[in-house]
Amino acid sequence: MTVSEEKFTRQRLLEVQTLTPTLFTLRTTRDPGFRFTAGQFARLGVRKPSGSIVWRAYSMVSAPHDEFLDFFSIVVPDGEFTSELSRLEPGDELLIDKQAFGFLTLDRFPDGRDLWLLATGTGLAPFLSILQDFEVWQRFERIVLVYSARTGSELAYQQLIRELPEREYLEGLGSKLTYLPVVTRERVPGALSGRITALLESGELERAADLKLTPEHSRIMLCGNPQMIEDTRALLKTRDLNLALTRRPGQVAVENYW
């Protein structure tokens, strides 16, 4: 076995579900030794016919205690990874790094009362993992999940989001969650309309959540489109909501693996 092969395990594709022409989910087996913290990501590898391996980073959607691994992906036109993945069927092999990565985890915040999770597109993935872990429900009094997509059909995992607060192990804690879907390119009943940044600037996001963003109480996680992350960080900074760093406590955590 070579050094490179020691860094990953060979897993099996269990299921691929197409949500829209550009979005799909996949489920794989999980190595018993694979450990991760909710919010982290792993590199998935697909072996090409030539024998070379294409790697891409994906946040886990599944909970740290699940026996399988779930991932949420966008179809990249002519993309090297998704082109190879589209050829695979349940039972085929996928490679998964033995080590999980990423710092979009609750330990970024030593304190805080309210947790805001702001996602666009497949950036929803780590937040679903966090919401399926009991720690977040214990730590925070309010949890606001803001999920933005271009169209209503691209709002994925709606059944899971609806069912989460009703899970037995939460024992009534599910009422802490406020879910705010956002759609940018069409009007959808029950969803906010416009970009997350515009909703922040106008105050509509806070009104919809019935909760104020404050440096004292708010802790905010951002994941998704890099431009959204950059613009939202700049907006939050004007309100004294700053990036949480190892050497400096803050109120904002982001994930960039584009």
Side-chain angles (χ1 to χ4, degrees):
M1 180 178 289
T2 67
V3 173
S4 62
E5 286 178 321
E6 291 173 354
K7 293 182 179 179
F8 61 77
T9 62
R10 293 172 173 81
Q11 301 303 312
R12 295 292 166 186
L13 187 62
L14 297 174
E15 180 184 332
V16 178
Q17 183 179 359
T18 300
L19 304 179
T20 72
T22 58
L23 295 171
F24 65 96
T25 67
L26 58 149
R27 175 170 291 185
T28 74
T29 55
R30 175 177 177 173
D31 187 84
F34 182 72
R35 298 285 182 271
F36 70 93
T37 301
Q40 288 190 308
F41 63 88
R43 289 196 319 149
L44 274 60
V46 177
R47 198 180 297 276
K48 299 174 70 173
S50 65
S52 63
I53 301 172
V54 186
W55 293 95
R56 290 293 182 273
Y58 283 88
S59 292
M60 273 68 74
V61 173
S62 42
H65 57 262
D66 285 333
E67 296 180 355
F68 49 81
L69 295 174
D70 282 341
F71 303 95
F72 183 24
S73 180
I74 189 169
V75 177
V76 180
D78 301 318
E80 192 176 22
F81 185 86
T82 51
S83 294
E84 296 299 328
L85 190 63
S86 67
R87 298 190 180 97
L88 300 184
E89 297 179 351
D92 286 342
E93 182 181 83
L94 272 177
L95 310 178
I96 299 180
D97 264 344
K98 288 184 177 180
Q99 181 180 350
F101 304 91
F103 301 99
L104 195 69
T105 54
L106 293 183
D107 56 13
R108 290 289 292 274
F109 307 123
D111 55 5
R113 185 192 69 190
D114 310 319
L115 180 66
W116 293 73
L117 306 171
L118 309 185
T120 59
T122 56
L124 175 70
F127 299 152
L128 291 178
S129 183
I130 288 170
L131 289 171
Q132 292 183 86
D133 197 32
F134 190 57
E135 180 187 358
V136 70
W137 303 93
Q138 288 180 304
R139 279 193 55 184
F140 294 94
E141 292 182 21
R142 290 282 308 277
I143 304 165
V144 182
L145 173 62
V146 181
Y147 175 28
S148 176
R150 296 176 303 176
T151 65
S153 64
E154 292 184 351
L155 289 170
Y157 292 101
Q158 295 304 284
Q159 183 174 345
L160 173 60
I161 293 170
R162 284 194 299 270
E163 292 175 350
L164 267 172
E166 307 302 324
R167 293 192 171 180
E168 286 186 15
Y169 63 80
L170 294 183
E171 298 178 343
L173 298 178
S175 60
K176 294 182 175 187
L177 178 66
T178 298
Y179 171 48
L180 300 176
V182 178
V183 177
T184 60
R185 295 190 181 178
E186 63 182 20
R187 293 280 180 176
V188 174
L192 298 174
S193 180
R195 296 185 181 278
I196 287 176
T197 47
L199 296 171
L200 275 170
E201 285 185 295
S202 68
E204 188 175 351
L205 201 63
E206 289 163 280
R207 287 193 294 273
D210 193 24
L211 188 66
K212 287 291 184 183
L213 282 161
T214 67
E216 179 185 5
H217 295 304
S218 305
R219 301 297 175 262
I220 306 148
M221 290 181 160
L222 309 175
C223 192
N225 181 286
Q227 193 64 56
M228 180 279 287
I229 292 175
E230 182 180 340
D231 294 346
T232 304
R233 273 189 58 190
L235 270 175
L236 294 172
K237 191 173 182 178
T238 66
R239 300 176 61 170
D240 294 322
L241 294 156
N242 298 300
L243 194 64
L245 303 171
T246 304
R247 63 185 182 276
R248 186 191 70 201
Q251 300 82 21
V252 182
V254 306
E255 188 64 88
N256 280 310
Y257 53 79
W258 253 249

mmCIF file of all heavy atoms in Angstrom, residues 147-169:
data_model
loop_
_atom_site.group_PDB
_atom_site.id
_atom_site.type_symbol
_atom_site.label_atom_id
_atom_site.label_comp_id
_atom_site.label_asym_id
_atom_site.label_seq_id
_atom_site.Cartn_x
_atom_site.Cartn_y
_atom_site.Cartn_z
ATOM 1 N N TYR A 147 -31.896 29.889 4.365
ATOM 2 C CA TYR A 147 -31.446 29.077 3.226
ATOM 3 C C TYR A 147 -31.921 29.722 1.938
ATOM 4 O O TYR A 147 -33.116 29.803 1.688
ATOM 5 C CB TYR A 147 -31.993 27.659 3.386
ATOM 6 C CG TYR A 147 -31.730 26.720 2.231
ATOM 7 C CD1 TYR A 147 -30.623 26.861 1.398
ATOM 8 C CD2 TYR A 147 -32.597 25.646 1.992
ATOM 9 C CE1 TYR A 147 -30.399 25.982 0.348
ATOM 10 C CE2 TYR A 147 -32.369 24.751 0.954
ATOM 11 C CZ TYR A 147 -31.265 24.929 0.135
ATOM 12 O OH TYR A 147 -31.031 24.058 -0.906
ATOM 13 N N SER A 148 -30.969 30.197 1.134
ATOM 14 C CA SER A 148 -31.288 30.910 -0.089
ATOM 15 C C SER A 148 -31.003 30.068 -1.325
ATOM 16 O O SER A 148 -29.952 29.441 -1.437
ATOM 17 C CB SER A 148 -30.472 32.208 -0.158
ATOM 18 O OG SER A 148 -30.688 32.874 -1.381
ATOM 19 N N ALA A 149 -31.952 30.068 -2.266
ATOM 20 C CA ALA A 149 -31.792 29.381 -3.550
ATOM 21 C C ALA A 149 -32.377 30.271 -4.641
ATOM 22 O O ALA A 149 -33.118 31.220 -4.369
ATOM 23 C CB ALA A 149 -32.497 28.026 -3.535
ATOM 24 N N ARG A 150 -32.047 29.959 -5.885
ATOM 25 C CA ARG A 150 -32.547 30.780 -6.988
ATOM 26 C C ARG A 150 -34.041 30.582 -7.208
ATOM 27 O O ARG A 150 -34.780 31.531 -7.475
ATOM 28 C CB ARG A 150 -31.770 30.451 -8.258
ATOM 29 C CG ARG A 150 -30.290 30.801 -8.189
ATOM 30 C CD ARG A 150 -29.569 30.371 -9.429
ATOM 31 N NE ARG A 150 -29.715 28.928 -9.678
ATOM 32 C CZ ARG A 150 -29.240 28.297 -10.752
ATOM 33 N NH1 ARG A 150 -28.608 28.976 -11.697
ATOM 34 N NH2 ARG A 150 -29.402 26.992 -10.893
ATOM 35 N N THR A 151 -34.500 29.330 -7.129
ATOM 36 C CA THR A 151 -35.910 29.011 -7.359
ATOM 37 C C THR A 151 -36.426 28.119 -6.236
ATOM 38 O O THR A 151 -35.644 27.495 -5.511
ATOM 39 C CB THR A 151 -36.097 28.268 -8.697
ATOM 40 O OG1 THR A 151 -35.436 26.988 -8.617
ATOM 41 C CG2 THR A 151 -35.502 29.066 -9.857
ATOM 42 N N GLY A 152 -37.742 28.027 -6.146
ATOM 43 C CA GLY A 152 -38.330 27.186 -5.119
ATOM 44 C C GLY A 152 -37.952 25.728 -5.266
ATOM 45 O O GLY A 152 -37.765 25.015 -4.274
ATOM 46 N N SER A 153 -37.798 25.256 -6.502
ATOM 47 C CA SER A 153 -37.458 23.846 -6.733
ATOM 48 C C SER A 153 -36.045 23.517 -6.274
ATOM 49 O O SER A 153 -35.712 22.351 -6.066
ATOM 50 C CB SER A 153 -37.602 23.500 -8.218
ATOM 51 O OG SER A 153 -36.678 24.238 -9.000
ATOM 52 N N GLU A 154 -35.198 24.545 -6.102
ATOM 53 C CA GLU A 154 -33.827 24.314 -5.667
ATOM 54 C C GLU A 154 -33.674 24.349 -4.141
ATOM 55 O O GLU A 154 -32.565 24.167 -3.634
ATOM 56 C CB GLU A 154 -32.896 25.341 -6.303
ATOM 57 C CG GLU A 154 -32.752 25.150 -7.811
ATOM 58 C CD GLU A 154 -31.758 26.113 -8.444
ATOM 59 O OE1 GLU A 154 -31.301 27.036 -7.754
ATOM 60 O OE2 GLU A 154 -31.450 25.938 -9.636
ATOM 61 N N LEU A 155 -34.761 24.563 -3.430
ATOM 62 C CA LEU A 155 -34.717 24.475 -1.971
ATOM 63 C C LEU A 155 -34.749 22.992 -1.592
ATOM 64 O O LEU A 155 -35.800 22.354 -1.583
ATOM 65 C CB LEU A 155 -35.898 25.212 -1.346
ATOM 66 C CG LEU A 155 -35.867 26.739 -1.427
ATOM 67 C CD1 LEU A 155 -37.211 27.321 -1.003
ATOM 68 C CD2 LEU A 155 -34.750 27.314 -0.564
ATOM 69 N N ALA A 156 -33.598 22.454 -1.281
ATOM 70 C CA ALA A 156 -33.461 21.017 -1.023
ATOM 71 C C ALA A 156 -33.708 20.687 0.453
ATOM 72 O O ALA A 156 -33.748 21.578 1.307
ATOM 73 C CB ALA A 156 -32.062 20.557 -1.421
ATOM 74 N N TYR A 157 -33.890 19.408 0.716
ATOM 75 C CA TYR A 157 -33.996 18.874 2.088
ATOM 76 C C TYR A 157 -35.138 19.502 2.880
ATOM 77 O O TYR A 157 -35.060 19.627 4.112
ATOM 78 C CB TYR A 157 -32.683 19.073 2.848
ATOM 79 C CG TYR A 157 -31.536 18.243 2.314
ATOM 80 C CD1 TYR A 157 -30.572 18.815 1.493
ATOM 81 C CD2 TYR A 157 -31.406 16.889 2.645
ATOM 82 C CE1 TYR A 157 -29.505 18.065 0.995
ATOM 83 C CE2 TYR A 157 -30.346 16.134 2.166
ATOM 84 C CZ TYR A 157 -29.401 16.725 1.338
ATOM 85 O OH TYR A 157 -28.354 15.980 0.853
ATOM 86 N N GLN A 158 -36.206 19.899 2.209
ATOM 87 C CA GLN A 158 -37.312 20.549 2.914
ATOM 88 C C GLN A 158 -37.996 19.618 3.910
ATOM 89 O O GLN A 158 -38.377 20.041 5.003
ATOM 90 C CB GLN A 158 -38.322 21.100 1.910
ATOM 91 C CG GLN A 158 -37.765 22.210 1.028
ATOM 92 C CD GLN A 158 -37.192 23.364 1.810
ATOM 93 O OE1 GLN A 158 -37.932 24.180 2.355
ATOM 94 N NE2 GLN A 158 -35.875 23.443 1.897
ATOM 95 N N GLN A 159 -38.138 18.359 3.551
ATOM 96 C CA GLN A 159 -38.771 17.411 4.479
ATOM 97 C C GLN A 159 -37.916 17.225 5.721
ATOM 98 O O GLN A 159 -38.427 17.211 6.846
ATOM 99 C CB GLN A 159 -39.008 16.070 3.791
ATOM 100 C CG GLN A 159 -39.745 15.073 4.695
ATOM 101 C CD GLN A 159 -40.116 13.786 3.960
ATOM 102 O OE1 GLN A 159 -40.081 13.729 2.742
ATOM 103 N NE2 GLN A 159 -40.467 12.763 4.711
ATOM 104 N N LEU A 160 -36.610 17.090 5.537
ATOM 105 C CA LEU A 160 -35.712 16.946 6.681
ATOM 106 C C LEU A 160 -35.790 18.163 7.588
ATOM 107 O O LEU A 160 -35.862 18.041 8.816
ATOM 108 C CB LEU A 160 -34.268 16.739 6.194
ATOM 109 C CG LEU A 160 -33.177 16.741 7.263
ATOM 110 C CD1 LEU A 160 -33.404 15.640 8.288
ATOM 111 C CD2 LEU A 160 -31.793 16.596 6.620
ATOM 112 N N ILE A 161 -35.784 19.362 7.000
ATOM 113 C CA ILE A 161 -35.848 20.581 7.806
ATOM 114 C C ILE A 161 -37.160 20.647 8.586
ATOM 115 O O ILE A 161 -37.183 21.042 9.758
ATOM 116 C CB ILE A 161 -35.680 21.825 6.902
ATOM 117 C CG1 ILE A 161 -34.263 21.859 6.316
ATOM 118 C CG2 ILE A 161 -35.958 23.104 7.692
ATOM 119 C CD1 ILE A 161 -34.074 22.905 5.231
ATOM 120 N N ARG A 162 -38.252 20.235 7.945
ATOM 121 C CA ARG A 162 -39.553 20.235 8.644
ATOM 122 C C ARG A 162 -39.570 19.237 9.788
ATOM 123 O O ARG A 162 -40.158 19.503 10.846
ATOM 124 C CB ARG A 162 -40.680 19.903 7.658
ATOM 125 C CG ARG A 162 -41.071 21.036 6.725
ATOM 126 C CD ARG A 162 -42.385 20.735 6.035
ATOM 127 N NE ARG A 162 -42.314 19.526 5.220
ATOM 128 C CZ ARG A 162 -41.961 19.497 3.947
ATOM 129 N NH1 ARG A 162 -41.635 20.623 3.327
ATOM 130 N NH2 ARG A 162 -41.922 18.367 3.268
ATOM 131 N N GLU A 163 -38.953 18.087 9.576
ATOM 132 C CA GLU A 163 -39.020 17.010 10.573
ATOM 133 C C GLU A 163 -38.050 17.206 11.736
ATOM 134 O O GLU A 163 -38.287 16.691 12.837
ATOM 135 C CB GLU A 163 -38.723 15.665 9.901
ATOM 136 C CG GLU A 163 -39.794 15.212 8.916
ATOM 137 C CD GLU A 163 -39.390 13.941 8.180
ATOM 138 O OE1 GLU A 163 -38.205 13.547 8.305
ATOM 139 O OE2 GLU A 163 -40.245 13.366 7.492
ATOM 140 N N LEU A 164 -36.958 17.944 11.507
ATOM 141 C CA LEU A 164 -35.921 18.085 12.526
ATOM 142 C C LEU A 164 -36.459 18.488 13.906
ATOM 143 O O LEU A 164 -36.126 17.838 14.905
ATOM 144 C CB LEU A 164 -34.876 19.107 12.067
ATOM 145 C CG LEU A 164 -33.656 18.564 11.332
ATOM 146 C CD1 LEU A 164 -32.831 19.723 10.784
ATOM 147 C CD2 LEU A 164 -32.806 17.717 12.259
ATOM 148 N N PRO A 165 -37.278 19.552 13.994
ATOM 149 C CA PRO A 165 -37.712 19.983 15.327
ATOM 150 C C PRO A 165 -38.585 18.965 16.050
ATOM 151 O O PRO A 165 -38.782 19.076 17.264
ATOM 152 C CB PRO A 165 -38.519 21.263 15.035
ATOM 153 C CG PRO A 165 -38.074 21.703 13.678
ATOM 154 C CD PRO A 165 -37.763 20.450 12.933
ATOM 155 N N GLU A 166 -39.110 17.981 15.307
ATOM 156 C CA GLU A 166 -40.028 17.015 15.906
ATOM 157 C C GLU A 166 -39.317 15.754 16.401
ATOM 158 O O GLU A 166 -39.973 14.847 16.933
ATOM 159 C CB GLU A 166 -41.098 16.606 14.881
ATOM 160 C CG GLU A 166 -41.844 17.770 14.243
ATOM 161 C CD GLU A 166 -42.545 18.646 15.271
ATOM 162 O OE1 GLU A 166 -43.054 18.098 16.270
ATOM 163 O OE2 GLU A 166 -42.560 19.880 15.073
ATOM 164 N N ARG A 167 -38.023 15.676 16.246
ATOM 165 C CA ARG A 167 -37.317 14.454 16.635
ATOM 166 C C ARG A 167 -37.408 14.231 18.146
ATOM 167 O O ARG A 167 -37.264 15.156 18.945
ATOM 168 C CB ARG A 167 -35.860 14.515 16.176
ATOM 169 C CG ARG A 167 -35.756 14.479 14.650
ATOM 170 C CD ARG A 167 -34.361 14.255 14.158
ATOM 171 N NE ARG A 167 -34.358 14.024 12.711
ATOM 172 C CZ ARG A 167 -33.263 13.796 11.998
ATOM 173 N NH1 ARG A 167 -32.080 13.757 12.598
ATOM 174 N NH2 ARG A 167 -33.342 13.597 10.691
ATOM 175 N N GLU A 168 -37.594 12.972 18.494
ATOM 176 C CA GLU A 168 -37.863 12.628 19.894
ATOM 177 C C GLU A 168 -36.743 13.047 20.829
ATOM 178 O O GLU A 168 -36.983 13.507 21.944
ATOM 179 C CB GLU A 168 -38.110 11.117 20.020
ATOM 180 C CG GLU A 168 -39.457 10.668 19.495
ATOM 181 C CD GLU A 168 -39.729 9.201 19.779
ATOM 182 O OE1 GLU A 168 -39.005 8.634 20.625
ATOM 183 O OE2 GLU A 168 -40.641 8.632 19.167
ATOM 184 N N TYR A 169 -35.500 12.895 20.386
ATOM 185 C CA TYR A 169 -34.387 13.170 21.293
ATOM 186 C C TYR A 169 -34.279 14.651 21.673
ATOM 187 O O TYR A 169 -33.578 14.999 22.628
ATOM 188 C CB TYR A 169 -33.067 12.680 20.701
ATOM 189 C CG TYR A 169 -32.617 13.340 19.415
ATOM 190 C CD1 TYR A 169 -31.996 14.581 19.406
ATOM 191 C CD2 TYR A 169 -32.802 12.699 18.184
ATOM 192 C CE1 TYR A 169 -31.573 15.181 18.232
ATOM 193 C CE2 TYR A 169 -32.389 13.292 16.993
ATOM 194 C CZ TYR A 169 -31.772 14.525 17.026
ATOM 195 O OH TYR A 169 -31.356 15.116 15.861
#
